[in-house]
Amino acid sequence: MPTPKVSFEFFPPQTLDASFRLWETVQVLAPLKPGFTSVTYGAGGTTRKLTHDAVETIHKHYGLNVAAHLTCVDATKAETKEIIDSYADVGVTEIVALRGDPPKGADRFTAHPEGFASSVELIDWLAEDGRFKIRCGAYPEPHPEAADPMADVRWLKRKIDAGATSAITQFFFEAETFFRFRDACVKEGITAPIIPGILPIQSWKGAKAFANRCGTSIPAWVEEAFEAATRDGREQLLATAMCTELCDSLIAGGVEDLHFYTLNRPDMTREVCHALGITPDVVLENVA
């Protein structure tokens, strides 16, 4: 089985302890030589400055290619221009362009009157700027706001046509979910790479809450397996095995890239990568 390329998502720390955890995570995973790493915004763009600081530090001190998240939430076009200028100034060349989640307390996204109304508008504007490789998000299962099951596929096509060169999906539990989405995208004429987003489950309770917020369906067998594993104290063992099996199935189905949502906790991601044949020695040998 071929060895996939990997990338990792981190989030910016808001406390001293969280800072230590982020840098430990980067140090542990950097030797796996990811194709890129990404750094998120908080809900409503609340960690904008922290995101910038984390992006700059990871890029400068760890030599990693960083794709900075950029959203439309609560920002004017002028403010967004300042943000991308600051990224360009520190050598960042990739952006993950997203609409973004509503600010805390709001139940739906409302565009800033002097900002961008959608991710498509943001991507089109970034493409015209011309300084960045643009990645975007994709939903293999219907987004909570989607009008119909094909709406996310059509919307992804618009983002690709606007200038995004690849898409990273929301997480999912079964490989068939991704394959169905990929097939639908091909039928819609989407030829850009679609990278599956992988969530190593650190907490089943947290993963369920996250799935419910973003519209990820939870198969009955997954729910039953975690209930049993939690009772027996085997939750992490099950999570690692399920994540590895999911990645194996995706690779067997032709997937060449995997994007891990690390949650700034490196151990399970590293363990899964090692099981897939991605180790520092192998990667460094391939680079040489």
Side-chain angles (χ1 to χ4, degrees):
M1 185 175 293
T3 303
K5 292 171 286 203
V6 294
S7 53
F8 305 124
E9 179 184 283
F10 308 121
F11 61 82
Q14 299 190 57
T15 66
L16 182 60
D17 286 345
S19 293
F20 287 133
R21 198 168 80 206
L22 169 61
W23 305 128
E24 178 190 3
T25 300
V26 175
Q27 288 173 348
V28 168
L29 296 179
L32 300 181
K33 299 295 181 185
F36 69 95
T37 61
S38 66
V39 181
T40 69
Y41 262 19
T46 51
T47 64
R48 190 171 295 152
K49 177 65 166 59
L50 295 172
T51 296
H52 182 277
D53 291 346
V55 166
E56 182 175 2
T57 301
I58 292 169
H59 176 68
K60 281 188 172 182
H61 295 283
Y62 295 93
L64 297 177
N65 177 30
V66 186
H69 282 216
L70 187 67
T71 77
C72 306
V73 179
D74 282 350
T76 67
K77 291 182 181 179
E79 288 170 337
T80 306
K81 177 67 162 57
E82 291 178 1
I83 293 168
I84 66 169
D85 286 347
S86 69
Y87 284 139
D89 287 345
V90 297
V92 171
T93 60
E94 296 197 18
I95 295 287
V96 180
L98 307 163
R99 189 200 71 178
D101 295 326
K104 188 174 182 179
D107 58 358
R108 59 186 300 112
F109 170 79
T110 301
H112 192 290
E114 298 177 22
F116 298 96
S118 69
S119 56
V120 172
E121 280 192 15
L122 177 60
I123 290 166
D124 184 67
W125 179 79
L126 286 168
E128 189 173 332
D129 179 87
R131 287 179 289 175
F132 301 93
K133 179 177 182 176
I134 307 165
R135 303 181 187 273
C136 65
Y139 273 76
E141 298 177 275
H143 185 280
E145 298 174 23
D148 60 73
M150 280 297 293
D152 293 300
V153 176
R154 294 191 296 268
W155 191 247
L156 177 59
K157 179 68 161 57
R158 290 185 62 186
K159 290 190 279 191
I160 299 299
D161 290 346
T165 58
S166 67
I168 304 167
T169 77
Q170 184 55 270
F171 83 102
F172 50 89
F173 288 101
E174 296 180 307
E176 279 305 313
T177 300
F178 175 81
F179 294 141
R180 284 193 296 269
F181 179 70
R182 185 181 63 180
D183 291 346
C185 289
V186 170
K187 289 180 180 178
E188 194 69 15
I190 296 171
T191 58
I194 301 174
I195 304 171
I198 307 298
L199 179 69
I201 296 173
Q202 311 290 342
S203 159
W204 176 234
K205 181 180 178 180
K208 283 199 297 183
F210 187 19
N212 290 332
R213 286 198 304 272
C214 66
T216 297
S217 61
I218 303 174
W221 70 267
V222 173
E223 180 91 51
E224 292 167 2
F226 269 102
E227 286 179 359
T230 301
R231 286 195 303 269
D232 297 340
R234 296 182 293 107
E235 186 174 325
Q236 291 302 295
L237 183 64
L238 173 65
T240 303
M242 281 183 52
C243 188
T244 303
E245 184 177 353
L246 173 61
C247 292
D248 279 338
S249 298
L250 291 168
I251 296 165
V255 168
E256 298 178 350
D257 300 82
L258 300 170
H259 186 70
F260 287 88
Y261 297 117
T262 70
L263 303 182
N264 291 6
R265 295 186 182 277
D267 292 345
M268 192 182 302
T269 296
R270 177 179 57 181
E271 188 172 346
V272 171
C273 285
H274 285 185
L276 299 173
I278 304 163
T279 65
D281 290 340
V282 170
V283 174
L284 291 173
E285 181 181 299
N286 289 343
V287 171

